[in-house]
Amino acid sequence: MTTIGRRFPVVTRSGVHVLIGFAVVAVLMPVFFGGSPLFTWTTAAVWVLFAMSTSVLFGWTGLLSFGQAAFFGIGAYTMALIHENRPETPGLVMLLAAALVAAVVAAVFALFALRTSGAEFAILTLVLAQVLWLLTYRVSWLKGEDGFHGLFSVNIISNPLTSDLDLWYYTIAVVGFCVWLLWLLHRSTAGMAMRAVRDDPWRSAALGINVRRVQVCAFAVSAALSAVAGALLAQGQGVVSPGMLSFAISGEILVACLIGGMSRFGGPILGAIVLIWSQTLISNLLHDSSMFVGLLLLVIVIALPQGLVSLPGRVRNRRRASGPPSIPPAPTGSLADESVPDGSPVSAGDEEALR
Amino acid sequence: MTAMVELRAASKAYQGVPAVQAVDLEVQRGERLAIIGPNGAGKSTLFGMIAGEHRPTEGSVWFNGKDVTTHHSSRRARAGISRTFQVARLMPTMTVRENLFLAALTGQRQGIRFWDALSTRPDVTEEAEAAMVAAGLADLSDVLASSLAQGARKTLEMAMAVVQKPTLLLLDEPTAGMGYDDARIATKQLGALLEERREMTIILTAHDMEVIHSLAERVVLMANGKVVLDGSPQYVADHAVTKELYLGRGAS
């Protein structure tokens, strides 16, 4: 269920539980993990943010982007360029700059690209990412294949990050804050308008929702937070290379969204963690994890089309269905959810209507 | 007094094929107008030109004395035009209650903001609840729109259009897809609703003469993209041209 809850008054929670949840995870994780596993969790946290930002577009607004790596990369390169010219810049300022650059690029791009819809739009986003990827090879100050190295020793405000533990706290704090912002957006009237545009752009327009504006805003928000994720990864790993702009990254983040499922707010969080950890664990055993991830996706698409996040609801429904026959299963609710194609791209429509 | 809706020599062609040809039409505030005609007469296109989904290839569309020809449908909706579709369009992943909440919210024109949490809009909630009860949908409040039956879909869409407090309500085939009995009940309910809201101007398309007689006070008959007859329901229904168009040559 993507919507605003089954009961009115619609939502009473302010998202404090999201913040508390992240704080608990931030404190507990170093108790159980250290060294390399903690670093994997840090990477997973970055991917959680990347997946969530992708889901703003793909899951909430119904715009399929094959080029989400463009904004991930813009964030990373913005961070690298700032670091090269002014290494003493606080890390948080770098993140903010990355978000702004990506949001502006995304908004300008979206104004043109959204003249198309569906598959054409998806192809245009792919083109954007590929063009940027090529640029890193053609523009000398982007340093081509080599990319940027040694971007460590980022200051948060004045103290440098000096250990994996510092990096973990820094990353989880930024990711937690951004996810909290997304929660607020999801529960706002603008968030409802996004879901409306995904559900039926014609009905949305007839209700007076400016479909194009909602889509452009969703694109900018998604891009900004993807850029924050990219910049965070650059700060954590100390390396920025053209690979961050590659189609493989755009594809992987969609896979993370699909594995987790986008019918609930937290789906992409789950998907990103499962993706990163399965990649890491399988890579330790085999050389290449991509086949396993492909298989995992296949199984999920067939068995759980709504993603891992729909598993508890399914189990509950099955249990209810096999219970005493005197209580028939409710005709509504999550059973019906499964027939709803979630995150389907907006179908092509009359341009005049949706402008 | 300026007309509420005015089409001036409005034409629409799809890739050179004319659908509506130079139609002049004035609709006054408070009027109840039905547009009828055989399939392919151009009713839906005319409707779309008023709602804003189709932009005329020639001519202009005026609303409340303003040229709105280039205004897209969402802008016209914010100016006070609500509509229903021939096949009801709803938000499939939202419940009945959420659909109405959304309609009530957008009906306030300035309802959509990033910083407005849904929980801070009890006024909208109340409006939506009242509309739900009035439409007889209270029992279905938590059902997803995608799992509603045909009749309930139409009812919900109508309730959504009305809760927006439009000054002009466009009803595209309000009883299409219903069985005979359901259609009769729906027509009766609709008649009562529209009688309560006399201030709304109504334009509807319909095939069913019963619907037209009970809801419309003026009827425009279209054929081949042109207005052929314009008058009272009785006048149009009894006219030889109508009989010929609907029943074929020689029937009169």
Side-chain angles (χ1 to χ4, degrees), chain A residues 177-217:
Chain A
F177 178 72
C178 291
V179 171
W180 177 64
L181 286 184
L182 283 176
W183 168 270
L184 294 185
L185 172 59
H186 191 250
R187 300 292 158 130
S188 74
T189 51
M192 193 179 202
M194 286 179 176
R195 294 191 291 284
V197 165
R198 173 200 64 195
D199 271 14
D200 191 327
W202 292 87
R203 170 43 71 202
S204 300
L207 287 177
I209 296 171
N210 190 329
V211 173
R212 184 61 53 82
R213 188 189 293 169
V214 169
Q215 288 174 330
V216 169
C217 286

Short mmCIF file of all heavy atoms in Angstrom, two decimals, chain A residues 177-217:
data_model
loop_
_atom_site.label_atom_id
_atom_site.label_comp_id
_atom_site.label_asym_id
_atom_site.label_seq_id
_atom_site.Cartn_x
_atom_site.Cartn_y
_atom_site.Cartn_z
N PHE A 177 18.85 11.49 7.92
CA PHE A 177 18.22 12.79 7.76
C PHE A 177 17.50 12.88 6.41
O PHE A 177 16.35 13.33 6.34
CB PHE A 177 19.29 13.89 7.87
CG PHE A 177 18.74 15.28 7.66
CD1 PHE A 177 17.94 15.87 8.62
CD2 PHE A 177 19.02 15.98 6.49
CE1 PHE A 177 17.43 17.15 8.42
CE2 PHE A 177 18.51 17.25 6.28
CZ PHE A 177 17.71 17.84 7.25
N CYS A 178 18.16 12.43 5.35
CA CYS A 178 17.56 12.51 4.01
C CYS A 178 16.32 11.63 3.91
O CYS A 178 15.31 12.01 3.32
CB CYS A 178 18.57 12.11 2.94
SG CYS A 178 19.89 13.30 2.73
N VAL A 179 16.40 10.42 4.49
CA VAL A 179 15.24 9.52 4.44
C VAL A 179 14.08 10.12 5.24
O VAL A 179 12.92 10.01 4.85
CB VAL A 179 15.61 8.11 4.95
CG1 VAL A 179 14.36 7.24 5.10
CG2 VAL A 179 16.59 7.44 4.00
N TRP A 180 14.42 10.79 6.33
CA TRP A 180 13.38 11.46 7.11
C TRP A 180 12.70 12.56 6.28
O TRP A 180 11.48 12.70 6.29
CB TRP A 180 13.99 12.05 8.38
CG TRP A 180 13.01 12.81 9.23
CD1 TRP A 180 11.91 12.33 9.85
CD2 TRP A 180 13.05 14.21 9.53
NE1 TRP A 180 11.26 13.32 10.53
CE2 TRP A 180 11.94 14.49 10.35
CE3 TRP A 180 13.92 15.25 9.19
CZ2 TRP A 180 11.66 15.77 10.82
CZ3 TRP A 180 13.66 16.53 9.68
CH2 TRP A 180 12.54 16.78 10.48
N LEU A 181 13.50 13.33 5.54
CA LEU A 181 12.93 14.35 4.65
C LEU A 181 11.98 13.70 3.64
O LEU A 181 10.90 14.21 3.35
CB LEU A 181 14.03 15.10 3.89
CG LEU A 181 14.85 16.11 4.69
CD1 LEU A 181 15.83 16.83 3.75
CD2 LEU A 181 13.96 17.13 5.37
N LEU A 182 12.41 12.55 3.11
CA LEU A 182 11.57 11.85 2.13
C LEU A 182 10.27 11.36 2.77
O LEU A 182 9.22 11.37 2.14
CB LEU A 182 12.33 10.66 1.53
CG LEU A 182 13.37 11.03 0.48
CD1 LEU A 182 14.12 9.81 0.01
CD2 LEU A 182 12.70 11.73 -0.71
N TRP A 183 10.38 10.94 4.02
CA TRP A 183 9.17 10.51 4.74
C TRP A 183 8.18 11.67 4.83
O TRP A 183 7.00 11.52 4.58
CB TRP A 183 9.55 10.01 6.14
CG TRP A 183 8.38 9.83 7.05
CD1 TRP A 183 7.84 10.75 7.90
CD2 TRP A 183 7.58 8.65 7.19
NE1 TRP A 183 6.77 10.23 8.56
CE2 TRP A 183 6.58 8.94 8.15
CE3 TRP A 183 7.61 7.40 6.60
CZ2 TRP A 183 5.62 8.02 8.53
CZ3 TRP A 183 6.64 6.47 7.00
CH2 TRP A 183 5.67 6.78 7.94
N LEU A 184 8.71 12.86 5.19
CA LEU A 184 7.84 14.03 5.29
C LEU A 184 7.20 14.33 3.94
O LEU A 184 6.03 14.67 3.85
CB LEU A 184 8.63 15.24 5.79
CG LEU A 184 9.15 15.16 7.23
CD1 LEU A 184 9.81 16.48 7.62
CD2 LEU A 184 8.03 14.81 8.21
N LEU A 185 8.02 14.20 2.88
CA LEU A 185 7.49 14.45 1.53
C LEU A 185 6.40 13.44 1.19
O LEU A 185 5.34 13.79 0.69
CB LEU A 185 8.62 14.37 0.50
CG LEU A 185 8.20 14.42 -0.97
CD1 LEU A 185 7.46 15.71 -1.27
CD2 LEU A 185 9.40 14.28 -1.89
N HIS A 186 6.67 12.18 1.54
CA HIS A 186 5.71 11.11 1.24
C HIS A 186 4.38 11.37 1.92
O HIS A 186 3.32 11.06 1.39
CB HIS A 186 6.31 9.78 1.72
CG HIS A 186 5.57 8.58 1.26
ND1 HIS A 186 4.83 7.79 2.10
CD2 HIS A 186 5.45 8.02 0.03
CE1 HIS A 186 4.27 6.81 1.41
NE2 HIS A 186 4.64 6.92 0.16
N ARG A 187 4.43 11.94 3.13
CA ARG A 187 3.22 12.18 3.89
C ARG A 187 2.67 13.59 3.69
O ARG A 187 1.86 14.04 4.48
CB ARG A 187 3.49 11.94 5.38
CG ARG A 187 3.95 10.53 5.67
CD ARG A 187 2.83 9.56 5.43
NE ARG A 187 3.32 8.22 5.19
CZ ARG A 187 2.84 7.14 5.81
NH1 ARG A 187 1.93 7.26 6.71
NH2 ARG A 187 3.29 5.96 5.50
N SER A 188 3.17 14.30 2.71
CA SER A 188 2.68 15.66 2.48
C SER A 188 1.65 15.64 1.35
O SER A 188 1.48 14.64 0.67
CB SER A 188 3.83 16.58 2.10
OG SER A 188 4.24 16.33 0.78
N THR A 189 0.98 16.76 1.20
CA THR A 189 0.01 16.84 0.11
C THR A 189 0.71 16.73 -1.24
O THR A 189 0.15 16.21 -2.19
CB THR A 189 -0.78 18.15 0.21
OG1 THR A 189 0.14 19.23 0.33
CG2 THR A 189 -1.69 18.15 1.40
N ALA A 190 1.96 17.22 -1.31
CA ALA A 190 2.72 17.08 -2.55
C ALA A 190 3.00 15.62 -2.85
O ALA A 190 2.96 15.19 -4.00
CB ALA A 190 4.02 17.88 -2.47
N GLY A 191 3.30 14.85 -1.79
CA GLY A 191 3.53 13.43 -1.98
C GLY A 191 2.29 12.72 -2.50
O GLY A 191 2.36 11.83 -3.35
N MET A 192 1.14 13.16 -2.02
CA MET A 192 -0.10 12.57 -2.51
C MET A 192 -0.31 12.93 -3.97
O MET A 192 -0.78 12.10 -4.77
CB MET A 192 -1.27 13.07 -1.67
CG MET A 192 -2.53 12.28 -1.92
SD MET A 192 -3.90 12.86 -0.92
CE MET A 192 -4.93 11.39 -0.92
N ALA A 193 0.04 14.15 -4.34
CA ALA A 193 -0.09 14.57 -5.73
C ALA A 193 0.81 13.71 -6.64
O ALA A 193 0.43 13.36 -7.75
CB ALA A 193 0.25 16.05 -5.88
N MET A 194 2.00 13.36 -6.14
CA MET A 194 2.90 12.50 -6.92
C MET A 194 2.24 11.15 -7.20
O MET A 194 2.26 10.66 -8.32
CB MET A 194 4.19 12.24 -6.15
CG MET A 194 5.14 13.42 -6.11
SD MET A 194 6.57 12.95 -5.13
CE MET A 194 7.55 14.40 -5.33
N ARG A 195 1.67 10.57 -6.15
CA ARG A 195 1.02 9.26 -6.34
C ARG A 195 -0.18 9.39 -7.28
O ARG A 195 -0.47 8.50 -8.07
CB ARG A 195 0.60 8.69 -4.99
CG ARG A 195 1.79 8.35 -4.11
CD ARG A 195 1.39 7.55 -2.89
NE ARG A 195 0.60 8.29 -1.92
CZ ARG A 195 1.10 9.18 -1.08
NH1 ARG A 195 2.39 9.47 -1.10
NH2 ARG A 195 0.33 9.82 -0.22
N ALA A 196 -0.85 10.53 -7.19
CA ALA A 196 -2.00 10.76 -8.08
C ALA A 196 -1.54 10.79 -9.53
O ALA A 196 -2.15 10.19 -10.40
CB ALA A 196 -2.70 12.06 -7.70
N VAL A 197 -0.43 11.49 -9.77
CA VAL A 197 0.10 11.60 -11.13
C VAL A 197 0.51 10.23 -11.65
O VAL A 197 0.30 9.89 -12.82
CB VAL A 197 1.30 12.58 -11.16
CG1 VAL A 197 2.08 12.44 -12.45
CG2 VAL A 197 0.80 14.00 -10.98
N ARG A 198 1.08 9.41 -10.77
CA ARG A 198 1.44 8.05 -11.17
C ARG A 198 0.19 7.24 -11.49
O ARG A 198 0.12 6.55 -12.50
CB ARG A 198 2.21 7.36 -10.05
CG ARG A 198 2.49 5.88 -10.34
CD ARG A 198 2.80 5.12 -9.08
NE ARG A 198 1.66 5.10 -8.17
CZ ARG A 198 1.73 4.76 -6.90
NH1 ARG A 198 2.88 4.45 -6.37
NH2 ARG A 198 0.65 4.76 -6.15
N ASP A 199 -0.80 7.34 -10.61
CA ASP A 199 -2.00 6.52 -10.77
C ASP A 199 -2.74 6.84 -12.05
O ASP A 199 -3.16 5.95 -12.78
CB ASP A 199 -2.95 6.74 -9.57
CG ASP A 199 -2.65 5.80 -8.43
OD1 ASP A 199 -1.57 5.19 -8.46
OD2 ASP A 199 -3.50 5.69 -7.53
N ASP A 200 -2.98 8.10 -12.31
CA ASP A 200 -3.73 8.49 -13.49
C ASP A 200 -3.48 9.97 -13.81
O ASP A 200 -4.09 10.85 -13.23
CB ASP A 200 -5.23 8.26 -13.26
CG ASP A 200 -6.03 8.39 -14.55
OD1 ASP A 200 -5.64 9.21 -15.41
OD2 ASP A 200 -7.02 7.68 -14.72
N PRO A 201 -2.58 10.23 -14.74
CA PRO A 201 -2.27 11.63 -15.06
C PRO A 201 -3.47 12.39 -15.61
O PRO A 201 -3.58 13.60 -15.40
CB PRO A 201 -1.16 11.51 -16.11
CG PRO A 201 -1.12 10.11 -16.54
CD PRO A 201 -1.73 9.28 -15.47
N TRP A 202 -4.38 11.67 -16.27
CA TRP A 202 -5.56 12.36 -16.84
C TRP A 202 -6.49 12.81 -15.73
O TRP A 202 -6.98 13.94 -15.75
CB TRP A 202 -6.30 11.41 -17.78
CG TRP A 202 -5.50 11.13 -18.99
CD1 TRP A 202 -4.56 10.16 -19.15
CD2 TRP A 202 -5.52 11.88 -20.21
NE1 TRP A 202 -4.01 10.25 -20.39
CE2 TRP A 202 -4.57 11.28 -21.06
CE3 TRP A 202 -6.25 12.98 -20.64
CZ2 TRP A 202 -4.34 11.76 -22.34
CZ3 TRP A 202 -6.01 13.45 -21.92
CH2 TRP A 202 -5.06 12.85 -22.76
N ARG A 203 -6.74 11.93 -14.80
CA ARG A 203 -7.61 12.29 -13.68
C ARG A 203 -6.93 13.40 -12.87
O ARG A 203 -7.57 14.35 -12.44
CB ARG A 203 -7.88 11.04 -12.83
CG ARG A 203 -8.55 11.21 -11.50
CD ARG A 203 -9.71 12.17 -11.46
NE ARG A 203 -10.93 11.75 -12.12
CZ ARG A 203 -11.86 12.60 -12.55
NH1 ARG A 203 -11.71 13.91 -12.39
NH2 ARG A 203 -12.93 12.17 -13.16
N SER A 204 -5.62 13.29 -12.69
CA SER A 204 -4.89 14.31 -11.93
C SER A 204 -5.06 15.68 -12.56
O SER A 204 -5.35 16.66 -11.88
CB SER A 204 -3.40 13.96 -11.87
OG SER A 204 -3.21 12.74 -11.25
N ALA A 205 -4.88 15.73 -13.88
CA ALA A 205 -5.04 17.01 -14.57
C ALA A 205 -6.46 17.53 -14.43
O ALA A 205 -6.69 18.72 -14.19
CB ALA A 205 -4.66 16.86 -16.04
N ALA A 206 -7.43 16.61 -14.53
CA ALA A 206 -8.82 17.03 -14.41
C ALA A 206 -9.15 17.51 -13.00
O ALA A 206 -10.10 18.25 -12.81
CB ALA A 206 -9.75 15.87 -14.80
N LEU A 207 -8.35 17.10 -12.02
CA LEU A 207 -8.55 17.58 -10.65
C LEU A 207 -7.83 18.92 -10.44
O LEU A 207 -7.95 19.52 -9.39
CB LEU A 207 -8.02 16.56 -9.64
CG LEU A 207 -8.83 15.29 -9.43
CD1 LEU A 207 -8.12 14.36 -8.46
CD2 LEU A 207 -10.23 15.60 -8.92
N GLY A 208 -7.05 19.34 -11.42
CA GLY A 208 -6.37 20.62 -11.28
C GLY A 208 -4.92 20.49 -10.85
O GLY A 208 -4.27 21.48 -10.51
N ILE A 209 -4.39 19.25 -10.85
CA ILE A 209 -2.97 19.08 -10.50
C ILE A 209 -2.13 19.36 -11.74
O ILE A 209 -2.40 18.82 -12.81
CB ILE A 209 -2.71 17.64 -10.01
CG1 ILE A 209 -3.47 17.37 -8.72
CG2 ILE A 209 -1.22 17.39 -9.81
CD1 ILE A 209 -3.45 15.92 -8.28
N ASN A 210 -1.15 20.20 -11.59
CA ASN A 210 -0.26 20.49 -12.70
C ASN A 210 0.73 19.33 -12.85
O ASN A 210 1.75 19.25 -12.17
CB ASN A 210 0.49 21.80 -12.45
CG ASN A 210 1.24 22.26 -13.67
OD1 ASN A 210 1.70 21.45 -14.49
ND2 ASN A 210 1.38 23.56 -13.82
N VAL A 211 0.36 18.41 -13.73
CA VAL A 211 1.09 17.15 -13.85
C VAL A 211 2.56 17.39 -14.17
O VAL A 211 3.45 16.81 -13.54
CB VAL A 211 0.45 16.27 -14.95
CG1 VAL A 211 1.28 15.04 -15.22
CG2 VAL A 211 -0.97 15.88 -14.54
N ARG A 212 2.82 18.27 -15.11
CA ARG A 212 4.20 18.52 -15.52
C ARG A 212 5.02 19.06 -14.36
O ARG A 212 6.15 18.64 -14.12
CB ARG A 212 4.20 19.52 -16.69
CG ARG A 212 5.54 19.81 -17.28
CD ARG A 212 6.22 18.59 -17.87
NE ARG A 212 5.43 17.85 -18.82
CZ ARG A 212 5.30 18.18 -20.10
NH1 ARG A 212 5.88 19.22 -20.58
NH2 ARG A 212 4.58 17.44 -20.92
N ARG A 213 4.42 19.97 -13.59
CA ARG A 213 5.18 20.57 -12.49
C ARG A 213 5.51 19.53 -11.42
O ARG A 213 6.63 19.49 -10.90
CB ARG A 213 4.40 21.73 -11.87
CG ARG A 213 5.23 22.50 -10.85
CD ARG A 213 4.42 23.51 -10.08
NE ARG A 213 3.96 24.60 -10.93
CZ ARG A 213 3.06 25.50 -10.55
NH1 ARG A 213 2.53 25.43 -9.36
NH2 ARG A 213 2.69 26.46 -11.36
N VAL A 214 4.54 18.69 -11.12
CA VAL A 214 4.78 17.64 -10.12
C VAL A 214 5.91 16.73 -10.60
O VAL A 214 6.80 16.35 -9.82
CB VAL A 214 3.49 16.83 -9.88
CG1 VAL A 214 3.77 15.58 -9.07
CG2 VAL A 214 2.46 17.70 -9.17
N GLN A 215 5.90 16.38 -11.88
CA GLN A 215 6.93 15.49 -12.41
C GLN A 215 8.32 16.14 -12.36
O GLN A 215 9.30 15.48 -11.98
CB GLN A 215 6.60 15.08 -13.84
CG GLN A 215 5.42 14.11 -13.92
CD GLN A 215 4.99 13.83 -15.34
OE1 GLN A 215 5.13 14.68 -16.22
NE2 GLN A 215 4.45 12.65 -15.57
N VAL A 216 8.38 17.42 -12.72
CA VAL A 216 9.68 18.11 -12.70
C VAL A 216 10.20 18.19 -11.27
O VAL A 216 11.39 17.93 -11.01
CB VAL A 216 9.57 19.52 -13.33
CG1 VAL A 216 10.82 20.33 -13.07
CG2 VAL A 216 9.31 19.42 -14.82
N CYS A 217 9.31 18.51 -10.32
CA CYS A 217 9.74 18.59 -8.92
C CYS A 217 10.23 17.23 -8.43
O CYS A 217 11.27 17.14 -7.76
CB CYS A 217 8.58 19.06 -8.04
SG CYS A 217 8.24 20.81 -8.23
#
